[in-house]
């Protein structure tokens, strides 16, 4: 099977950089995190179709970041997974793997469960560790499946998040998995805020306390290019700041002998935003000693056609951002498959 060998940050620092160990080119395939908990499958939420998965594989993407909801998979803390939901997740993982792409499992919960923050009385850190222990038992033996601990933790102190992340990492390793783990920071894990003390201690300072017995993890950051770096505005007015922020995190990664993944980034369709998209890809792919790769946000079968960042094809036609990404990818022939 084609795929990327998922090797840890410290290992990569001492091994030759090659297309087999770096340069992940990913797409976020949204849908399983849509709707409200309790919505029926196929009405409130969906998983990506085989057709969509094949489309992105055919374009040269090598990874799928797969968002889903923790509460749907595990409706009760410390309990077994919902059988039907676990089956849907597993089937989608296999579709991605058969297409020759790596899967990044992404509980898209913002460090929350049913609205309650991890580390509070309703959601103890041990419950988060239990969730990851169960997930790693199911998926932790395959080299082409990676574990993204959590999407965009926010409004949680960096020290508290590091404690929760370390508990989850320990549970994954105690379950016998050596899989690559993606560790986000707090403050929405923004590259622009990595060294800013939004909640006190910065990610740049706190993340040195991450502990992995396998030393097989990378840091995940996200970065958008609009006025407030949220990705919600139909413009890219902070493009230069976003590119610099990503470059600065890359410097931090190299200084700390670590690597990162740009897990979300995107631009709207305006022509002036396309060059910025190329710049973001270039920052990552020209620094393989700092970056494992990137994953664009987003695509998926249920995105509205007019959603500004969406690159799901419409009537078999590529979106402008897809053409830009393909151009950027073609300029680095040593990357990818």
């Amino acid at each position: 099977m084609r795929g990327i060998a998922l090797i840890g940050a410290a290992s990569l620092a001492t091994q030759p950089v090659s297309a087999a160990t770096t340069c992940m080119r990913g797409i976020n395939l949204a849908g399983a995190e849509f709707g409200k908990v309790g919505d029926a499958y196929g009405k409130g939420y969906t998983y990506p179709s085989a057709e969509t998965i094949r489309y992105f594989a055919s374009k040269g993407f090598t990874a799928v970041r797969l968002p889903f909801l923790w509460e749907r998979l595990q409706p009760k803390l410390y309990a077994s997974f919902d059988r039907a939901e676990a089956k849907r997740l597993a089937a989608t993982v296999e579709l991605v793997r058969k297409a020759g792409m790596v899967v990044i499992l992404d509980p898209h919960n913002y460090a929350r469960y049913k609205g309650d923050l991890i580390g509070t009385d309703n959601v103890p850190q041990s419950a988060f560790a239990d969730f990851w222990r169960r997930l790693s038992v199911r998926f932790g033996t395959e080299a082409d499946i990676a574990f993204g601990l959590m999407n965009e933790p926010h409004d949680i102190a960096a020290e508290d998040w590091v404690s929760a992340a370390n508990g989850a990492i320990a549970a994954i390793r105690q379950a016998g998995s050596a899989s690559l783990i993606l560790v986000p920071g707090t403050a929405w894990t923004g590259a622009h805020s990595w060294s800013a003390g939004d909640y006190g201690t910065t990610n740049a300072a706190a993340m040195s306390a991450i502990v992995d017995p396998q030393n097989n993890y990378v840091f995940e950051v996200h970065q958008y290019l609009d006025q407030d770096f949220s990705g919600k505005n139909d413009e890219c007015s902070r493009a230069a700041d976003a590119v610099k922020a990503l470059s600065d995190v890359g410097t931090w990664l190299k200084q700390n002998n670590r690597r990162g993944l740009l897990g979300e980034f995107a631009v709207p369709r305006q022509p002036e935003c396309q060059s910025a998209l190329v710049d973001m890809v270039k920052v990552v792919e020209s620094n393989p000693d700092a970056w494992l790769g990137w994953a664009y946000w987003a695509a998926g079968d249920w995105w509205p056609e007019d959603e500004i960042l969406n690159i799901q094809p419409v009537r078999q036609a590529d979106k402008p951002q897809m053409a830009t990404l393909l151009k950027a990818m073609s300029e680095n022939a040593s990357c990818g498959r």
Side-chain angles (χ1 to χ4, degrees):
M1 179 184 297
R2 294 174 299 173
I4 296 173
L6 300 176
I7 300 176
S11 299
L12 283 164
T14 60
Q15 293 191 14
V17 174
S18 72
T21 58
T22 189
C23 219
M24 184 183 288
R25 291 167 161 174
I27 180 68
N28 286 266
L29 292 184
E33 83 285 21
F34 285 6
K36 301 184 296 294
V37 175
D39 285 349
Y41 178 68
K43 294 184 177 179
Y45 73 105
T46 190
Y47 280 88
S49 66
E51 181 182 7
T52 288
I53 292 167
R54 286 194 297 266
Y55 167 81
F56 285 98
S58 74
K59 294 296 185 180
F61 286 77
T62 59
V64 168
R65 184 170 180 256
L66 184 61
F68 61 92
L69 287 184
W70 177 4
E71 302 93 334
R72 283 204 182 109
L73 186 58
Q74 190 181 37
K76 184 178 179 180
L77 293 177
Y78 302 106
S80 299
F81 290 164
D82 178 86
R83 290 186 179 181
E85 190 66 12
K87 185 176 180 180
R88 284 188 280 266
L89 177 61
T92 305
V93 166
E94 284 309 300
L95 285 174
V96 175
R97 295 179 67 219
K98 287 177 181 178
M101 295 189 287
V102 169
V103 183
I104 300 170
L105 294 175
D106 167 42
H108 214 77
N109 281 75
Y110 307 94
R112 285 155 175 79
Y113 180 91
K114 297 183 179 178
D116 291 319
L117 195 65
I118 294 172
T120 57
D121 290 343
N122 288 338
V123 190
Q125 290 185 6
S126 59
F128 184 52
D130 173 80
F131 165 74
W132 269 110
R133 178 188 64 79
R134 295 174 188 273
L135 201 61
S136 65
V137 167
R138 286 177 175 261
F139 295 107
T141 61
E142 304 296 342
D144 51 2
I145 300 176
F147 296 154
L149 288 183
M150 177 58 61
N151 181 67
E152 296 184 349
H154 67 88
D155 293 290
I156 180 172
E159 295 92 342
D160 292 341
W161 169 244
V162 167
S163 177
N166 278 338
I169 293 169
I172 291 168
R173 299 312 184 206
Q174 289 166 7
S177 173
S179 297
L180 177 70
I181 297 172
L182 279 56
V183 183
T186 189
W188 309 86
T189 202
H192 66 278
S193 60
W194 195 254
S195 297
D198 291 38
Y199 310 134
T201 305
T202 67
N203 285 323
M207 289 297 141
S208 62
I210 290 295
V211 176
D212 177 10
Q214 294 283 337
N215 204 27
N216 189 26
Y217 69 95
V218 299
F219 291 112
E220 180 181 344
V221 300
H222 296 177
Q223 188 59 53
Y224 292 95
L225 297 81
D226 53 340
Q227 60 184 359
D228 58 1
F229 299 127
S230 69
K232 296 178 180 178
N233 304 291
D234 194 8
E235 40 86 6
C236 55
S237 60
R238 301 291 298 278
D241 294 331
V243 172
K244 182 181 184 303
L246 197 61
S247 179
D248 289 346
V249 171
T251 298
W252 178 88
L253 289 165
K254 285 187 277 190
Q255 289 172 344
N256 289 274
N257 195 34
R258 305 264 35 120
R259 296 183 80 204
L261 178 87
L262 177 57
E264 288 186 20
F265 73 117
V267 299
R269 303 173 195 176
Q270 292 91 321
E272 64 268 22
C273 296
Q274 304 311 304
S275 61
L277 184 57
V278 172
D279 289 342
M280 295 289 277
V281 171
K282 193 172 295 184
V283 166
V284 172
E285 294 197 353
S286 64
N287 291 282
D289 51 341
W291 296 101
L292 179 69
W294 50 264
Y296 183 90
W297 181 273
D301 297 80
W302 279 14
W303 278 120
E305 183 176 343
D306 60 355
E307 202 285 324
I308 60 174
L309 306 179
N310 166 35
I311 59 170
Q312 182 76 11
V314 177
R315 294 178 290 278
Q316 299 184 330
D318 289 348
K319 296 288 180 63
Q321 298 98 319
M322 175 60 83
T324 300
L325 286 172
L326 292 177
K327 179 178 182 294
M329 290 158 67
S330 70
E331 291 176 355
N332 187 0
S334 65
C335 176
R337 295 173 181 167

